[in-house]
Structures are given as structure tokens and as C-alpha cells.
Amino acid sequence: MHKWEASKAAIEKAFGLPVEHMFESIDHSAIASGSIAQVLKPVAAATSKVPALKGLSLKESVSQFSSTMTAQADLRVECAHLRGFTTILHPCRRVLRRRTPSLGAQPLQHPDCVAGVDTYLKMLLADNFVHTDLHPGNIMTDKVSAEHKSLEEIRSQLQLVLLDFGLAEELTPRHQAGVPQPEAFADDMEALFNVEAQIDGPDGIDVDKVLKDVLKLARRHEVGIDSSYAALVLGVCVIVGFATSLDNRINIMDAATSCFLQHSLTGKATGRLY
């Protein structure tokens, strides 16, 4: 786990205020840590002292988080998710769904990255049923014997192994957020996309940055973000970071463009996406 100084710097960068102004007190030692975060225990000051938290309902936020964590600990929920993924991924013979890894499973490596991105985009764009906890420990590959085989043969026999189905999301009409200032929010979104979402730019679209900026705009305009949508955004940011750490040439928006084009023409997104 990182030191308190790193946590303090990250908190102050996110909220633009000194920690002492936001909290009455805060323990410097983390009480828990996960794959992308540490948990600190503060005593909160009034949310009015923190402009970034204006309009935030702490009670509702805690309730949403509690519901998600409770569901993750319920194996009946995980069983239902596993059935759902078995159905949507059944045509993908290269993808296995498991509760625990086999002895031959190994972490996803550089040559396997394309298959991982393709599988994630299929869930996100074609199936609307997404594994939202695909950190490196939950997406692996089954070992393929390389003896007397070409690289193409090895890749054709590769099987992805997806693990831990406690967290999964799908978006329904109820997830559409209410916008108190629709015109101002729409104007800011248009300005953001005109700058950051130019697919023909030299570096493509940094979807991680775009999504985080969208969340900042939502917070500024007091737009309520449903926990399911937030989980999908976080999941995309994790998979983008994971994929680019394996191959910095990969841009997930480049991979998704053909799917968007196909959907705009046919209303469907089928087949390989990448």
C-alpha cells in the first residue's frame, strides 16, 4: 500500500482543497485496499465546505454502494450472472467462464490483448451485459503448448478465462439520469467532445480521460449518476489501463469504431469487433 502522503496528494488534487478543510479528522493508515484504491477512515465536515460535493446525497451514495457490495457477497447473484455470461459467450469458443482458475491458467500477456479487448467490447456494445470487475486477476488465459506450433496456431488455440462474476451490469431505461440544467450540461458536453473526442486526431481518443471528464461535468451540473452506470465507467477505465499496459498501441475507441458504424447502419453489433 502507498503512504499517506500519496493519498493526501490524490485527495487534494481530486477536490481542489486541503484535506484539513474537507475533513474534521482522517486516519493516515488505510483500513483496506483493493486492486485500484485504498480505503481511509475520515470524519467528514459539512459537504457545503467542499464545492465538488455540492448536490451529493451521501445517504443515497452509501445506500447504492452498500447494495452493490451486498450483492457481490451473495453467491446466488453470482450464479445468475454466470448463467447470463454462459448464454452470451457460448458462441465464443475461445472464452471460458469459471469460478476459480485451472492449474494451467496464467495472466493475460501481450499477444493475447486483442482477444481480451474484443471480448470486453462484445459484452459492452453487443450484449449490454458486462463483467465490471475485469482487473488482471480476473481475466487470464489457458496455457497452450507451443511445441512445433507457429505463433498464429498458438493464438488460434488461445482460450480466455474469465473469473469472479459477482459484479456485472446492464443498462436499462431507468439508468437515464435526470439533468437539472439540460441546456448548460449539453453545451458543456458538446464542447468536451469537440476537443477530446476527435477520432481522426493523431493520438486517437483517450476514452479514459473523456469518461472522467464527463463525470466531472455531471458533478458540476449536479447530475445524479446511477451506480450501474458508474460501475461501467470504472470498468472501462480499468480495462483501458490494463490493455494499454500490455500494448500501448491499443486504443479501445479505435477498436469500437467499426461496431458503432455497424450499429448506425443496421441497429445491431455482431461478429468480431476488433
Side-chain angles (χ1 to χ4, degrees):
M1 293 191 291
H2 57 249
K3 296 181 179 179
W4 158 247
E5 288 74 16
S7 297
K8 181 175 184 291
I11 294 169
E12 292 180 344
K13 180 180 179 182
F15 294 100
L17 291 171
V19 167
E20 296 77 14
H21 185 82
M22 293 184 284
F23 305 109
E24 299 294 341
S25 64
I26 183 169
D27 290 343
H28 292 187
S29 299
I31 59 175
S33 65
S35 58
I36 62 169
Q38 289 185 186
V39 180
L40 302 171
K41 186 177 181 180
V43 175
T47 57
S48 59
K49 290 186 177 181
V50 186
L53 298 181
K54 183 183 177 183
L56 175 67
S57 170
L58 290 179
K59 184 176 180 180
E60 182 180 348
S61 298
V62 171
S63 176
Q64 288 184 340
F65 182 77
S66 173
S67 176
T68 299
M69 292 300 98
T70 301
Q72 188 178 15
D74 189 337
L75 294 183
R76 294 170 298 180
V77 172
E78 183 164 357
C79 183
H81 291 166
L82 187 55
R83 288 196 186 102
F85 284 113
T86 298
T87 298
I88 67 171
L89 295 176
H90 177 69
C92 304
R93 300 183 183 277
R94 294 176 62 185
V95 182
L96 302 178
R97 289 76 57 195
R98 289 185 180 151
R99 182 67 182 85
T100 56
S102 68
L103 293 177
Q106 56 188 3
L108 199 67
Q109 302 295 325
H110 176 282
D112 317 325
C113 192
V114 168
V117 170
D118 192 68
T119 299
Y120 186 79
L121 288 177
K122 180 183 184 304
M123 291 188 289
L124 180 66
L125 302 178
D127 302 317
N128 187 28
F129 191 52
V130 185
H131 190 311
T132 52
D133 197 19
L134 281 182
H135 56 76
N138 282 343
I139 178 168
M140 309 181 80
T141 60
D142 258 0
K143 230 178 238 184
V144 177
S145 173
E147 188 176 359
H148 307 305
K149 292 178 182 175
S150 68
L151 180 59
E152 288 304 314
E153 287 176 318
I154 294 172
R155 285 180 173 174
S156 68
Q157 295 175 24
L158 169 75
Q159 285 193 311
L160 293 180
V161 180
L162 305 186
L163 305 171
D164 190 359
F165 297 89
L167 293 177
E169 296 292 350
E170 58 182 324
L171 294 183
T172 65
R174 75 176 180 82
H175 294 124
Q176 295 177 354
V179 184
Q181 300 175 352
E183 290 186 9
F185 183 63
D187 289 344
D188 282 353
M189 285 286 285
E190 183 178 0
L192 168 64
F193 274 71
N194 285 339
V195 174
E196 301 289 353
Q198 299 301 315
I199 200 165
D200 56 350
D203 299 320
I205 298 174
D206 184 349
V207 69
D208 180 87
K209 184 179 187 304
V210 170
L211 288 175
K212 289 174 181 176
D213 286 348
V214 167
L215 291 181
K216 289 177 183 177
L217 285 180
R219 186 167 60 188
R220 183 189 307 165
H221 290 278
E222 300 182 27
V223 177
I225 301 296
D226 185 272
S227 60
S228 296
Y229 179 77
L232 285 175
V233 170
L234 181 60
V236 170
C237 292
V238 169
I239 207 74
V240 166
F242 184 20
T244 53
S245 70
L246 293 174
D247 185 345
N248 60 15
R249 298 169 300 173
I250 283 184
N251 185 310
I252 199 169
M253 282 303 298
D254 291 343
T257 299
S258 60
C259 183
F260 293 148
L261 177 60
Q262 183 185 49
H263 188 273
S264 68
L265 295 174
T266 68
K268 298 179 181 180
T270 58
R272 286 192 60 80
L273 305 178
Y274 192 25

